[in-house]
Amino acid sequence: MRKSDLRLLTDSPAGDLRKTEHIKTPDRCECRGGAEYIVIVGAGFAGWSVAEALRRIGSSAPVLLISSCRGDFYSKPSLSGALADGKTAQDLIYEDAFSRAQRLNIQIRTDTPVIQLDPSRKRLITSHGSIAYGKLVLALGAHQRELALRGNAAHNVHAVNDLADYMKLRQKLDSGPKLVTILGSGLIGCEFADDISGAGHAVTMVDPNHWPLSRLLPEEMAIDLQKQLNDKGIVFHLGTILTTLEYSAGRYRAVLQNGVTFETDIVVIAAGLIPNTGLAERTGLKVDKGISVDLQMQSSISDIYALGDCASVEGTVYSYIEPIKHQAETIAENLTGQRSLFSKKPTIIKVKTPTFPLAACQIRKTETRAWTVVERQEHGCRMELTDEHGELAAVAISGFEKLAARELYKYCM
């Protein structure tokens, strides 16, 4: 190994969730893999889904799952809807890592970051030694985009990207009502704003775009959402960015690019996700928007697959639950000798904003913005986007919480 191969390991988060009476933690598994092993790196939804899919189709191949954290199974989308319901981090765990591994009859190594990958020897270098593989699946996830901020508190922003992040945020918020600033009014930002506001905190949103969910919704529907959140007390600063964050006398002072200043207690960043491609890049795998894979979900190096937030399927990153499930099934079938292709079906996106339920589906890409109101009722509407040829390109539905997804299926399936 070279010195440049080494990476600084972060400390474990405060308040270890394993310290619960009903979860018994066995000794760390020291499985070293082998030529017969399918090794999965990443214990998020994507990684666990591959293990599940392998067992579901009857594969008895030895599987080792490696996680840089505790690896407990939970739904990441639930992080942005748990505060108002008073759910703790422990409440969000469906199954602890060791119980799930035992149920699936796989090996697991937790708290084991992967530092380097050597495809020529089919070997991983981890913080606890080397691991051999026959087939490798990368489910490395993504991280929050970093913003260039000035001020003595520029680094005191919270990214809520996993269970440990959520626990830290809960510790900040549980001491009483707070002034919370959210940077970004996209999907995650709006969901957190509605949830945090519902938990009794005052929320301010800052975004350089001119309406919330600008990449997903037509302007008219986005403004309807903004009005509903305004009525709930959420303040918007759109068309600007946070430039400076200063800390003094127990509170932060936020300075926006347009000159507006205000006080805040907590700043949460929700400015978009960046695929974790560092390991792949150091290895020499082809990377574009993510780790580049074909329709078999195989990377540019044979026997290495990738899926989820870190993977780019022919130039597109699929970051939602349903397509990740399909990617996991595709990989499992290819790992067991079948030839399976990932079907790039349109994804139905349900926005978890109970104040104003939304769902949308992009059927095909288009540069046009010719949205049309097809139906409007008292509490919402349905809008359609047509492309330059007059073909239906996208559909968005607001207000109809129970019917929205069902309505979209007829367009997207």
Side-chain angles (χ1 to χ4, degrees):
M1 292 180 66
R2 302 182 301 274
K3 184 177 179 181
S4 60
D5 293 329
L6 301 177
R7 295 292 182 275
L8 183 66
L9 302 182
T10 57
D11 294 334
S12 298
D16 192 346
L17 297 180
R18 274 196 202 150
K19 294 178 181 177
T20 58
E21 294 180 358
H22 66 285
I23 295 179
K24 294 182 179 179
T25 304
D27 293 336
R28 177 192 300 279
C29 170
E30 296 296 343
C31 176
R32 297 289 182 184
E36 73 280 14
Y37 267 82
I38 296 170
V39 175
I40 303 169
V41 181
F45 180 81
W48 278 116
S49 292
V50 175
E52 286 267 12
L54 283 166
R55 295 304 185 237
R56 188 165 52 249
I57 64 176
S59 172
S60 59
V63 175
L64 169 61
L65 190 148
I66 304 172
S67 174
S68 62
C69 60
R70 294 184 44 237
D72 295 328
F73 184 73
Y74 68 99
S75 172
K76 187 174 177 180
S78 66
L79 296 176
S80 58
L83 279 161
D85 292 335
K87 292 183 178 179
T88 66
Q90 187 64 51
D91 293 332
L92 299 179
I93 297 174
Y94 294 156
E95 192 173 16
D96 74 273
F98 294 96
S99 296
R100 194 171 186 82
Q102 185 176 30
R103 180 172 61 79
L104 294 174
N105 191 24
I106 69 171
Q107 301 292 318
I108 186 166
R109 295 193 61 160
T110 61
D111 303 304
T112 304
V114 173
I115 302 168
Q116 198 72 19
L117 165 58
D118 184 351
S120 63
R121 298 171 60 209
K122 289 195 169 183
R123 190 166 293 273
L124 295 164
I125 306 301
T126 80
S127 59
H128 295 283
S130 65
I131 292 172
Y133 68 87
K135 306 285 187 181
L136 180 65
V137 179
L138 300 177
L140 304 174
H143 61 276
Q144 277 288 343
R145 184 188 306 275
E146 294 184 4
L147 299 179
L149 299 177
R150 299 190 298 268
N152 63 11
H155 299 292
N156 292 2
V157 296
H158 295 267
V160 186
N161 200 39
D162 56 32
L163 211 55
D165 291 338
Y166 175 76
M167 182 169 58
K168 291 178 182 178
L169 181 63
R170 279 297 303 265
Q171 290 173 346
K172 292 279 188 179
L173 295 175
D174 283 351
S175 59
K178 298 290 189 300
L179 303 177
V180 181
T181 299
I182 298 177
L183 306 181
S185 66
L187 184 69
I188 302 302
C190 286
E191 290 181 352
F192 266 114
D194 203 7
D195 188 45
I196 292 173
S197 175
H201 305 282
V203 176
T204 297
M205 302 193 74
V206 180
D207 193 292
N209 295 295
H210 293 285
W211 64 83
L213 286 166
S214 59
R215 293 185 179 181
L216 181 64
L217 297 182
E219 182 177 4
E220 183 174 344
M221 190 174 290
I223 290 174
D224 287 342
L225 169 65
Q226 184 179 343
K227 288 178 180 177
Q228 294 289 331
L229 295 179
N230 279 151
D231 290 344
K232 197 177 180 182
I234 296 173
V235 176
F236 284 83
H237 293 283
L238 302 174
T240 189
I241 60 174
L242 177 68
T243 59
T244 306
L245 189 64
E246 297 281 352
Y247 184 78
S248 178
R251 181 159 280 183
Y252 296 98
R253 179 174 175 269
V255 181
L256 304 186
Q257 189 179 56
N258 62 6
V260 172
T261 65
F262 55 87
E263 291 187 333
T264 187
D265 298 308
I266 299 171
V267 178
V268 177
I269 185 169
L273 295 176
I274 304 296
N276 292 328
T277 59
L279 178 65
E281 291 170 352
R282 296 194 300 273
T283 302
L285 290 169
K286 181 182 176 182
V287 173
D288 43 48
K289 293 181 180 178
I291 301 172
S292 180
V293 297
D294 58 20
L295 291 179
Q296 291 181 281
M297 304 305 299
Q298 185 163 220
S299 74
S300 58
I301 296 179
S302 62
D303 295 332
I304 300 178
Y305 298 78
L307 79 161
D309 290 349
C310 73
S312 169
V313 186
E314 297 187 339
T316 300
V317 177
Y318 293 84
S319 299
Y320 301 103
I321 294 296
E322 285 303 317
I324 291 175
K325 284 181 181 178
H326 296 318
Q327 290 179 352
E329 292 163 0
T330 300
I331 289 176
E333 290 169 359
N334 285 312
L335 289 174
T336 54
Q338 306 175 50
R339 189 179 186 278
S340 179
L341 301 179
F342 173 62
S343 177
K344 300 189 290 184
K345 295 180 180 178
T347 302
I348 297 172
I349 303 168
K350 290 181 282 187
V351 186
K352 300 189 302 298
T353 47
T355 299
F356 192 63
L358 296 159
C361 179
Q362 181 176 331
I363 300 167
R364 59 177 56 86
K365 292 183 178 180
T366 178
E367 297 299 321
T368 66
R369 303 293 295 181
W371 285 93
T372 303
V373 176
V374 176
E375 177 186 1
R376 178 175 288 280
Q377 297 183 14
E378 182 180 358
H379 300 294
C381 68
R382 181 170 84 244
M383 299 184 69
E384 296 179 355
L385 173 67
T386 55
D387 63 16
E388 57 274 15
H389 304 294
E391 297 291 327
L392 185 64
V395 181
I397 298 178
S398 67
F400 312 108
E401 185 170 16
K402 295 181 180 179
L403 298 176
R406 192 188 314 163
E407 279 286 310
L408 289 179
Y409 270 109
K410 65 183 181 185
Y411 297 100
C412 304
M413 300 304 290

